[in-house]
Amino acid sequence: MTMAHLTIDDLKSQARRLREAMSTAGTPLTHSAALELVAKSHGARDWNTLSALAARTDNVPAPPAVVGAVVTGEYLGQRFRGKVLALRKLSNSDYHAITLHFDEPVDIVTFDSFSAFRQRVSGTIDGRGVSPQRTSNGRPHIVLDA
């Protein structure tokens, strides 16, 4: 999730448009509920987290995910949906250590007569959510969807 191009005013406008669309569809929504939904749509835990990211002026790229966010992607070539349990920036680098807990365990072995399921994994990802570590066929270990 990058906030470099979105301002708090942009995000509030998104919430206002969402509120109007929901009202038109017959489902009224409070402004605070719309703000929370906008935050979730950007992968943030809540509006306060998202607005803090949008207000940043230090030009440091935002992390590719936030703790508590539900993310999708691939782990060792297998699709997953899961929650970010931990995320920390590795000092003096553009990488982050991440711990994920998948909704459903994924089988990381492609061999037909053997299985190895994983539900909680840790790894390293860059600012795009892609791990620098690769499998023997050149695929990244972890790839988070944008």
Side-chain angles (χ1 to χ4, degrees), residues 74-79 106-110 122 124 130-143:
E74 287 188 7
Y75 177 69
L76 297 177
Q78 303 298 316
R79 295 292 305 163
V106 297
D107 188 359
I108 61 167
V109 176
T110 57
S122 295
T124 303
V130 178
S131 66
Q133 295 84 10
R134 308 279 175 180
T135 60
S136 60
N137 64 0
R139 294 177 76 171
H141 286 194
I142 299 172
V143 178

Side-chain angles (χ1 to χ4, degrees), residues 57-74:
T57 59
D58 58 2
N59 293 325
V60 175
V66 294
V67 173
V70 174
V71 295
T72 58
E74 287 188 7

Side-chain angles (χ1 to χ4, degrees), residues 5-25:
H5 62 285
L6 291 175
T7 66
I8 291 176
D9 288 337
D10 293 333
L11 296 168
K12 286 182 178 179
S13 292
Q14 286 180 9
R16 193 170 32 260
R17 289 191 305 273
L18 173 63
R19 206 173 154 202
E20 290 169 3
M22 294 298 287
S23 180
T24 302

Side-chain angles (χ1 to χ4, degrees), residues 25-101:
T27 308
L29 193 64
T30 66
H31 187 64
S32 62
L35 291 171
E36 294 297 323
L37 288 172
V38 167
K40 297 280 187 211
S41 75
H42 285 281
R45 180 179 18 202
D46 55 31
W47 171 251
N48 289 337
T49 303
L50 184 64
S51 62
L53 288 171
R56 290 167 43 138
T57 59
D58 58 2
N59 293 325
V60 175
V66 294
V67 173
V70 174
V71 295
T72 58
E74 287 188 7
Y75 177 69
L76 297 177
Q78 303 298 316
R79 295 292 305 163
F80 74 84
R81 179 181 186 277
K83 189 173 190 176
V84 178
L85 295 181
L87 183 75
R88 69 178 174 85
K89 184 163 176 28
L90 299 175
S91 62
N92 298 325
S93 77
D94 293 329
Y95 294 102
H96 296 79
I98 189 167
T99 301
L100 300 163
H101 183 82

